[in-house]
Amino acid sequence: MKYTVNIKKKVIKNLKRLPGSIQEQFKALTGDLINKGPIQKDWHNFSKIGKNKYHCHLTRSYVACWKNEKESIIIEVYYVGSREDAPY
């Protein structure tokens, strides 16, 4: 089953300011979210951070956060950026 990944406008805007290597990592994560769903145990420091909310590290300093309502094929990425500013 393929998932639909929605990326918030704020994330897209912030992503453009990040280094190219982080953008590439995010692109790879998005591909995994589409093909494998919200549970991404192969990604560094993947964890559940709340009800239906998850995060992983793209690098030591950058993270991505997303949510997925139970039984839904829609995943919403709501944050990508430095881990110090992450909303968790």
Side-chain angles (χ1 to χ4, degrees):
M1 168 171 56
K2 297 254 183 194
Y3 287 77
T4 300
V5 176
N6 295 331
I7 303 169
K8 294 185 83 68
K9 288 180 183 179
K10 182 174 149 184
V11 171
I12 294 169
K13 185 178 178 181
N14 192 40
L15 191 61
K16 290 177 183 178
R17 293 186 224 142
L18 298 178
S21 61
I22 303 305
Q23 293 178 31
E24 290 301 315
Q25 283 286 92
F26 181 74
K27 196 180 296 184
L29 173 63
T30 302
D32 283 349
L33 290 171
I34 290 168
N35 293 310
K36 299 176 186 175
I39 308 302
Q40 294 295 322
K41 293 181 180 179
D42 292 336
W43 281 84
H44 189 63
N45 287 352
F46 167 79
S47 66
K48 187 171 184 172
I49 56 173
K51 186 177 179 182
N52 304 317
K53 292 185 176 184
Y54 308 91
H55 100 295
C56 73
H57 286 222
L58 302 174
T59 64
R60 185 169 185 227
S61 301
Y62 294 96
V63 300
C65 301
W66 61 93
K67 61 184 175 180
N68 171 250
E69 295 301 321
K70 195 171 186 176
E71 306 296 323
S72 172
I73 63 165
I74 298 173
I75 297 170
E76 180 183 276
V77 178
Y78 63 90
Y79 179 80
V80 65
S82 74
R83 69 179 194 197
E84 288 81 20
D85 296 331
Y88 53 78

